[in-house]
């Protein structure tokens, strides 16, 4: 894959190629560039949530209505989605999640660690196929692979972008 | 009855089954997204349609699901038909509805002030919680409270004809109605719904 300025551009390109119009989100620092691209493009729709599980319902509704959507969140938000993930599974609807990880690589904040450690097991317990990626150059192709599995297979898939890609928030401390 | 003092459920008179049936007779081609439990039984009891997206789970998600459909299908009206318990579990979704401002989405809360499906335990809307005030606070400007069976025509007009997101509360009796169980295979429910919308092949 060709080098590009930021992995967000790769993800956005793969989104456009697949007509993934809507992004439901509780933002994370690592998602800023992607969310700004979505917001700035009139062909796309940004849906700001109060809790991530709403995004599972909205994205499922979009698909029921004939459109593609995804949910973008920080790993802590995955915990809010657990029961909701039963909805796309029951409808045999696709569910595509883009998750920026906290609580792993160089985490400063111990409050982030339990859910960070639990993110992948929790998703897999709910039948979500996980696509971890820890190199910025591989985010775009990983996202594309997960999206194709989700929308063609009508399955739930999550791209887990390592904190190694995002960078740990250090609060100015060493 | 609620145990917290000033429950109004004793004075709730609307009978949900005939009320929902009368309402849905007037829906035109509105898509209906009933929440899990009684709203789904009420909807199926009124007659079956591929435009009814029955639910057997995912408490709190009737409004988000209906919002997604409304965004994807702007030319179709969508009704989220839920109960007081589910509405409160997903209450934040009203902020998302107000923010997205879909002109084609209406929400009806069948409010019996109890968790009817699980044994009629008292809920939170019989005393202090005012769902229409909450909705207006989130920015949903069109709200109405209905307390009489005879107001179904007025309610239908409010839900199926007005512009902008709307939320209605119908104060219904705590009744015991027989289960009316529709298809529960979500794959089949989704398939026939999408075929009816023309977004999937039969």
């Amino acid at each position: 894959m060709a080098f590009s300025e930021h992995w967000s551009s790769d993800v956005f390109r793969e989104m456009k190629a697949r007509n993934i119009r809507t992004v439901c989100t509780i933002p994370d620092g690592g998602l800023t560039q992607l969310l700004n691209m979505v917001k700035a493009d009139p062909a796309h729709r940004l849906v700001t949530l109060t809790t991530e599980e709403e995004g599972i319902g909205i994205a499922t509704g979009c698909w029921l209505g004939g459109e593609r959507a995804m949910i973008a969140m920080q790993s802590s938000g995955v915990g809010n989605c657990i029961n909701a993930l039963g909805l796309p599974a029951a409808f045999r609807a696709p569910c595509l999640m883009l998750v920026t990880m906290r609580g792993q690589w160089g985490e400063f904040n111990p409050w982030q660690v339990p859910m960070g450690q639990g993110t992948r097991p929790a998703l897999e317990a709910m039948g979500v196929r996980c696509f971890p990626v820890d190199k910025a150059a591989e985010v775009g192709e990983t996202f594309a692979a997960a999206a194709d599995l989700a929308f063609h297979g009508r399955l739930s898939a999550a791209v887990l972008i390592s904190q190694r890609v995002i960078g740990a928030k250090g609060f100015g401390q060493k | 009855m609620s145990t917290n003092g000033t429950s109004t459920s004793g004075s709730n008179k609307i009978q949900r089954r005939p009320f929902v049936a009368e309402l849905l007779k007037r829906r035109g081609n509105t898509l209906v997204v009933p929440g899990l439990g009684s709203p789904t039984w009420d909807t199926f009891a009124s007659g079956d349609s591929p435009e009814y997206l029955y639910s057997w789970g995912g408490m709190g998600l009737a409004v988000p699901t209906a919002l997604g459909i409304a965004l994807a299908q702007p030319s179709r009206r969508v009704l989220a038909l839920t109960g007081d318990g589910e509405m409160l579990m997903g209450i934040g979704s009203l902020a998302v509805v107000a923010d997205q401002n879909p002109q084609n989405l209406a929400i009806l809360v069948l409010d019996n002030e109890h968790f009817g499906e699980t044994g009629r335990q008292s809920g939170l809307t019989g005393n202090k919680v005012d769902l229409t005030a909450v909705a207006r606070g989130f920015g949903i400007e069109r709200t109405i409270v209905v307390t009489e069976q005879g107001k179904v025509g007025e309610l239908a007009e409010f839900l199926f004809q007005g512009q902008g997101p709307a939320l209605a509360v119908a104060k219904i009796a705590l009744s015991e109605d027989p289960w009316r169980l529709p298809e529960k295979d979500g794959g089949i429910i989704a398939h026939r719904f999408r075929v009816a919308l023309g977004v999937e092949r039969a």
Side-chain angles (χ1 to χ4, degrees):
Chain A
M1 171 166 281
F3 176 81
S4 58
E5 215 166 286
H6 193 269
W7 57 263
S8 300
S9 305
D10 302 330
V11 169
F12 195 51
R13 186 180 61 245
E14 302 296 347
M15 279 176 59
K16 287 180 103 57
R18 289 165 179 75
N19 291 319
I20 301 171
R21 180 179 180 192
T22 297
V23 178
C24 306
T25 193
I26 300 279
D28 181 37
L31 293 166
T32 304
Q33 289 93 331
L34 179 64
L35 298 178
N36 285 343
M37 286 178 219
V38 171
K39 195 171 185 179
D41 189 331
H44 287 82
R45 179 190 291 122
L46 189 67
V47 179
T48 304
L49 309 167
T50 76
T51 174
E52 291 84 352
E53 66 203 90
E54 295 162 352
I56 307 294
I58 294 167
T60 302
C62 285
W63 178 81
L64 287 162
E67 284 194 359
R68 289 179 172 183
M70 58 184 267
I71 311 103
M73 71 189 83
Q74 183 186 103
S75 50
S76 51
V78 167
N80 295 344
C81 293
I82 298 303
N83 185 51
L85 286 164
L87 183 85
F91 278 132
R92 292 185 50 220
C95 177
L96 178 62
M97 305 161 81
L98 181 66
V99 179
T100 46
M101 292 302 300
R102 292 288 309 267
Q104 43 168 227
W105 187 270
E107 178 62 62
F108 173 86
N109 179 357
W111 296 49
Q112 287 282 357
V113 174
M115 191 64 231
Q117 295 296 298
T119 296
R120 185 170 181 178
L123 285 167
E124 289 179 340
M126 289 305 295
V128 180
R129 289 83 186 158
C130 292
F131 292 74
V133 54
D134 63 5
K135 292 184 180 66
E138 294 174 3
V139 174
E141 64 191 26
T142 306
F143 175 84
D148 288 344
L149 180 134
F151 289 110
H152 293 297
R154 295 172 56 158
L155 296 167
S156 296
V159 178
L160 309 180
I161 304 179
S162 168
Q163 200 165 9
R164 197 172 184 179
V165 173
I166 306 298
K169 185 177 178 180
F171 295 92
Q173 305 292 307
K174 284 290 175 201
Chain B
M1 290 292 291
S2 169
T3 54
N4 51 9
T6 56
S7 169
T8 58
S9 65
S11 60
N12 285 12
K13 292 188 178 69
I14 294 174
Q15 293 298 315
R16 61 188 308 152
R17 283 285 161 86
F19 190 74
V20 169
E22 282 301 314
L23 181 72
L24 293 183
K25 267 186 206 167
R26 295 162 164 85
R27 75 179 171 93
N29 73 347
T30 300
L31 304 167
V32 182
V33 182
L36 74 171
S38 300
T40 279
W41 319 151
D42 293 338
T43 300
F44 182 58
S46 78
D48 192 19
S49 167
E51 294 173 336
Y52 296 165
L53 189 79
Y54 302 122
S55 170
W56 287 75
M59 186 166 171
L61 296 176
V63 169
T65 305
L67 173 60
I69 296 166
L71 293 173
Q73 288 283 333
S75 66
R76 294 295 293 270
R77 187 162 287 268
V78 183
L79 174 69
L81 180 62
T82 183
D84 49 286
E86 183 179 47
M87 189 67 260
L88 282 173
M89 186 176 282
I91 198 71
S93 61
L94 295 181
V96 186
V97 168
D99 186 53
Q100 292 294 318
N101 198 29
Q103 298 302 295
N104 56 334
L105 177 63
I107 300 159
L108 172 60
V109 183
L110 297 169
D111 180 8
N112 63 6
E113 306 170 0
H114 288 75
F115 294 94
E117 200 62 31
T118 54
R120 303 151 70 89
Q121 299 89 345
S122 57
L124 291 166
T125 54
N127 188 359
K128 292 182 176 171
V129 175
D130 179 345
L131 287 170
T132 54
V134 172
R136 285 194 301 276
F138 275 134
I140 296 176
E141 291 170 11
R142 297 181 60 232
T143 67
I144 191 175
V145 178
V146 178
T147 57
E148 293 170 47
Q149 201 91 12
K151 297 283 188 188
V152 69
E154 198 177 304
L155 177 63
E157 205 168 303
F158 176 84
L159 294 171
F160 301 139
Q161 284 170 34
Q163 284 301 300
L167 182 138
V169 172
K171 285 288 190 178
I172 61 167
L174 183 61
S175 55
E176 262 192 283
D177 304 286
W179 280 317
R180 289 296 306 274
L181 308 181
E183 176 63 54
K184 66 175 181 292
D185 183 326
I188 292 172
I189 297 165
H191 175 68
R192 65 180 208 154
F193 186 82
R194 281 166 50 89
V195 169
L197 284 177
V199 301
E200 188 167 300
R201 274 184 303 194

